[in-house]
Amino acid sequence: MTDAAPARSLTLQAPAKINLFLHVVGRRADGYHLLQSVFQLIDLADTLHFDLRTDGQIVLAEPLPGVAPEDDLCIRAARLLERAANRPLTGVTIRVEKRIPMGGGLGGGSSDAATTLLALNHLWQLGFKRAQLAELGLQLGADVPFFIGGGNAWVEGIGEQLTPLQLPRRRFLVVHPGVGVATPAVFKAPDLTRTTPSVIISDFVRAASASELFGRNDLQPVAERLEPAVKFAAQALPGSRMSGSGACVFAAFDCEAAANAALQGLRERNALPAQARMWVVSSLDQYPAAALAD
C-alpha cells in the first residue's frame, strides 16, 4: 500500500479576534508599546484558497482594492516562508474571500497571514514547528503569533507573549461604523494612555466567570477622537467596547436571541449610518488552520 499523494490545494477559514480588554502598560526603548489584553476568536472569518503551481510563482488572485499585491499580508507571508525555506518551491496561487472588515481592529490581515504560513508550511512540506512559524509571523505583525498559537489567550509584551485561556462561550454583536482607524495614528497620539497598571490573569478570570466587563480599551478614547463615528457606534450599542485600535465595537451576550434582539433594535432605531455593518457572531475555542502544525 502506497502513501497518499501530498495535497496540492487547501481551503481554510481565517477567523477574526476581539480584544476583551486592551491596556497599554508601558513603552519599550524602540518605541513599541507594551500591552496586556485577552484575545478571543470569533467565527467572523475570511476564506482562503491555496492552489500549488508548477512554475514557482507566488500569485494573489483578485487583489484587495487599494492594496498592492506585494503589500498584501498573504503574499508577504508566503515570501517570508519561501526565504526561510531557502530552497526552490512549487509556487502557489492564493485567493482571499474577504469578510472581516479592513481597519476594523479584528485582526483580519494578521489572521490571513497566519493561515497562509500554516497552510503553505503544510502544502510545501517544510516541516517548520509552530514556534518557528510564530517567530516568522511576528515579522509581519504583532497579532500573527496569537493566531498561529491556535486558541484564545492572555496576551502581553508587544503581542508575542501568550498564555492559553479557556473562555466562556459567548455571542457578540460586532458593529463596524463604516470608517477605518489608522493604527499608527492611534499609537502616536500624545494623549494615549501608556501607564495603565499591570493586572493579573486571575482578576480577569473572576470577572469573565461572572460575565462582567473587565478593564477597558486604552486606545478607544484616541480612536473616538480621530474618528467620531467610532464614538457614535459605541454610544448606540450599550455595554460595548472597541476592539483593537478600532474601528469595530462589540457587546457580549449570553445567547444568540439576545444578540439578534440588540441588532434588530439598532436597525429599528436607525441608530447607525447607512454604511455601518453588523454581525452576530459566536466565540471560537480553536483556530482552524492550527491543526496543520505540531
Side-chain angles (χ1 to χ4, degrees):
M1 183 175 180
T2 59
D3 293 334
R8 295 196 58 80
S9 64
L10 275 176
T11 295
L12 294 164
Q13 297 292 300
K17 59 80 182 167
I18 54 176
N19 298 80
L20 297 184
F21 75 95
L22 198 165
H23 294 170
V24 183
V25 299
R27 196 172 190 178
R28 301 195 318 195
D30 60 8
Y32 280 96
H33 290 77
L34 298 172
L35 310 175
Q36 285 190 311
S37 186
V38 168
F39 287 6
Q40 180 154 34
L41 295 164
I42 56 174
D43 63 2
L44 178 64
D46 296 337
T47 303
L48 275 62
H49 306 270
F50 303 90
D51 293 286
L52 293 185
R53 303 168 62 96
T54 58
D55 59 4
Q57 299 297 306
I58 294 173
V59 176
L60 180 67
E62 305 171 15
L64 295 171
V67 181
E70 288 304 311
D71 292 333
D72 188 281
L73 276 168
C74 292
I75 294 297
R76 291 175 58 199
R79 296 210 181 281
L80 183 63
L81 197 59
E82 181 184 45
R83 291 193 296 272
N86 197 29
R87 62 178 172 85
L89 299 170
T90 57
V92 66
T93 296
I94 305 171
R95 182 166 63 88
V96 181
E97 296 178 47
K98 196 71 182 163
R99 191 168 176 237
I100 304 170
M102 298 173 62
L106 303 179
S110 294
S111 184
D112 293 347
T115 287
T116 298
L117 291 172
L118 290 160
L120 294 183
N121 183 56
H122 176 76
L123 288 172
W124 283 338
Q125 298 184 291
L126 300 178
F128 287 115
K129 301 297 184 183
R130 191 181 310 202
Q132 294 172 292
L133 295 175
E135 187 175 348
L136 288 172
L138 190 58
Q139 300 178 45
L140 301 168
D143 292 350
V144 178
F146 160 71
F147 291 108
I148 291 173
N152 301 312
W154 176 273
V155 179
E156 296 185 283
I158 63 170
E160 85 288 9
Q161 298 173 26
L162 305 172
T163 302
L165 273 182
Q166 294 293 321
L167 297 173
R169 299 300 298 271
R170 304 296 299 277
R171 300 281 183 166
F172 299 94
L173 173 54
V174 178
V175 176
H176 187 280
V179 300
V181 176
T183 299
V186 174
F187 278 105
K188 290 177 182 176
D191 55 333
L192 174 65
T193 297
R194 297 179 171 89
T195 56
T196 294
S198 295
V199 292
I200 57 176
I201 293 178
S202 59
D203 288 341
F204 169 81
V205 170
R206 280 194 293 271
S209 63
S211 298
E212 297 174 352
L213 276 176
F214 179 86
R216 60 182 180 269
N217 184 335
D218 283 336
L219 309 185
Q220 187 165 346
V222 176
E224 290 180 343
R225 176 177 57 77
L226 294 174
E227 291 290 349
V230 176
K231 184 175 183 178
F232 186 82
Q235 291 175 336
L237 182 59
S240 66
R241 174 170 291 169
M242 191 180 78
S243 181
S245 59
C248 286
V249 301
F250 67 91
F253 299 87
D254 291 326
C255 65
E256 185 173 7
N260 282 323
L263 183 150
Q264 188 61 29
L266 290 175
R267 287 176 173 165
E268 291 174 352
R269 301 196 316 270
N270 292 319
L272 295 167
Q275 69 268 26
R277 290 184 287 166
M278 297 179 284
W279 303 267
V280 171
V281 302
S282 298
S283 60
L284 294 174
D285 294 327
Q286 296 293 325
Y287 190 71
L292 298 175
D294 60 310

